[in-house]
Amino acid sequence: MLENTPYYHPVGKEIDVFNHAYQNKIPFLLKGPTGTGKSRFVEYMAHLLNKKIITISCHEETSSTDLIGRFIIKGAETVWLDGPLTTAVKEGAIIYLDEVAEARPDVIVAIHSLTDHRRELFIDKLGETVKAHTDFMLVASFNPGYQRGFKELKPSTRQRFIAVAFEYPEPKVEIEILVNETQIDSNTAKKLVAIGNKIRNLTELGLTETVSTRLLIDAAKIICSGLPKRLSVHVAIVEPLSDDLQTVQALKDLCDLMI
């Protein structure tokens, strides 16, 4: 394993699938709720493949211009500046479009020609078409249906990718992740994972998001740095989940019984 490789615990065959997608130049889609390790997995694979990774966190203002590039004024002249997608296409990097469904529709249109046999990018402002470097790979993630008012990817777009679903790890694996990420003792890690799974199963609370592995890691980190366990759970797990006072109090009471 390469030095400084990010810690990642496989939960299935996702490493093999990614490698085959890369070898066959097929775009890769990660589906799943927030905080399940999608971004960490892409970073991990980029390290294993020894490839540069360019990450774009997509949101409702992300446009194709942001990705492809734009003209800028430099001194007395106007020059073209490549965007991150164009840079990745030319250099053969991995481009990771995180939460791609949140981006504007023109982004999806722009990447279509990169996700089929053409593997090319049309730069309309230059009137040029750039063929993708042989090592270029397009990776995207989205959160299908876990958020209120979520945006869906069209079937015509999803069918251009090999897709892998990410879920929260099994308790044994999640405990191991917490210990490796934070050096917390295994007994406390076990209690944090139990809290996470308990809240995940409380569907009657109607939470927009549930407890991610990321939240559990945050709680473990501040426990390790000396903050009391219950307070750590309150601020790192409970408070980020809801603003409803009754819900927050109910979750606090539940967590206090478990740690």
Side-chain angles (χ1 to χ4, degrees):
M1 187 172 291
L2 298 173
E3 190 178 349
N4 300 322
T5 300
Y7 174 76
Y8 178 78
H9 193 300
V11 294
K13 298 292 186 181
E14 66 270 26
I15 293 175
D16 288 343
V17 174
F18 191 100
N19 278 325
H20 280 274
Y22 180 76
Q23 290 169 21
N24 289 283
K25 306 187 188 326
I26 303 173
F28 193 89
L29 180 66
L30 301 90
K31 307 187 298 179
T34 184
T36 48
K38 299 190 296 294
S39 296
R40 174 62 64 88
F41 171 68
V42 180
E43 291 173 12
Y44 175 78
M45 293 308 303
H47 273 77
L48 287 190
L49 294 167
N50 197 24
K51 299 302 300 177
K52 177 182 178 182
I53 180 173
I54 300 174
T55 300
I56 306 295
S57 296
C58 300
H59 51 81
E60 63 273 6
E61 296 300 321
T62 304
S63 68
S64 59
T65 297
D66 296 324
L67 267 60
I68 295 173
R70 52 170 49 89
F71 285 105
I72 61 169
I73 296 173
K74 193 173 183 180
E77 59 179 349
T78 301
V79 296
W80 172 261
L81 183 66
D82 282 341
L85 178 59
T86 305
T87 299
V89 166
K90 290 179 177 179
E91 294 182 356
I94 294 173
I95 185 88
Y96 175 43
L97 304 178
D98 190 16
E99 299 294 354
V100 67
E102 295 296 319
R104 284 171 28 179
D106 59 312
V107 168
I108 305 299
V109 172
I111 66 173
H112 267 195
S113 58
L114 285 168
T115 57
D116 58 26
H117 66 282
R118 291 171 289 178
R119 279 176 57 86
E120 61 187 28
L121 176 66
F122 178 62
I123 305 176
D124 60 343
K125 291 178 181 175
L126 296 178
E128 294 179 5
T129 297
V130 181
K131 283 285 185 182
H133 188 288
T134 186
D135 292 339
F136 169 76
M137 185 178 190
L138 193 150
V139 181
S141 73
F142 88 115
N143 186 344
Y146 293 91
Q147 299 164 308
R148 290 190 193 125
F150 71 95
K151 296 180 182 178
E152 189 58 272
L153 274 182
K154 292 180 179 178
S156 59
T157 299
R158 292 201 299 190
Q159 290 178 21
R160 294 169 177 267
F161 293 82
I162 282 178
V164 170
F166 276 63
E167 298 292 343
Y168 298 113
E170 294 179 359
K172 181 181 176 182
V173 173
E174 199 161 34
I175 290 166
E176 188 176 331
I177 290 170
L178 262 61
V179 171
N180 273 279
E181 285 283 317
T182 69
Q183 283 70 59
I184 197 166
D185 65 277
S186 57
N187 187 48
T188 304
K190 190 175 182 179
K191 290 179 180 178
L192 289 173
V193 169
I195 286 171
N197 281 306
K198 184 73 173 178
I199 296 174
R200 288 167 190 163
N201 290 322
L202 293 176
T203 53
E204 66 272 15
L205 288 179
L207 296 172
T208 306
E209 294 279 3
T210 191
V211 180
S212 65
T213 304
R214 184 187 299 135
L215 289 186
L216 297 181
I217 290 171
D218 289 345
K221 283 180 178 177
I222 58 178
I223 288 171
C224 285
S225 66
L227 201 67
K229 292 179 181 178
R230 286 182 175 177
L231 178 57
S232 297
V233 170
H234 290 175
V235 298
I237 298 176
V238 175
E239 291 290 354
L241 289 178
S242 178
D243 296 321
D244 180 78
L245 296 178
Q246 287 184 319
T247 300
V248 167
Q249 190 58 53
L251 290 173
K252 283 181 178 178
D253 292 343
L254 171 67
C255 293
D256 287 349
L257 292 172
M258 298 181 70
I259 196 165

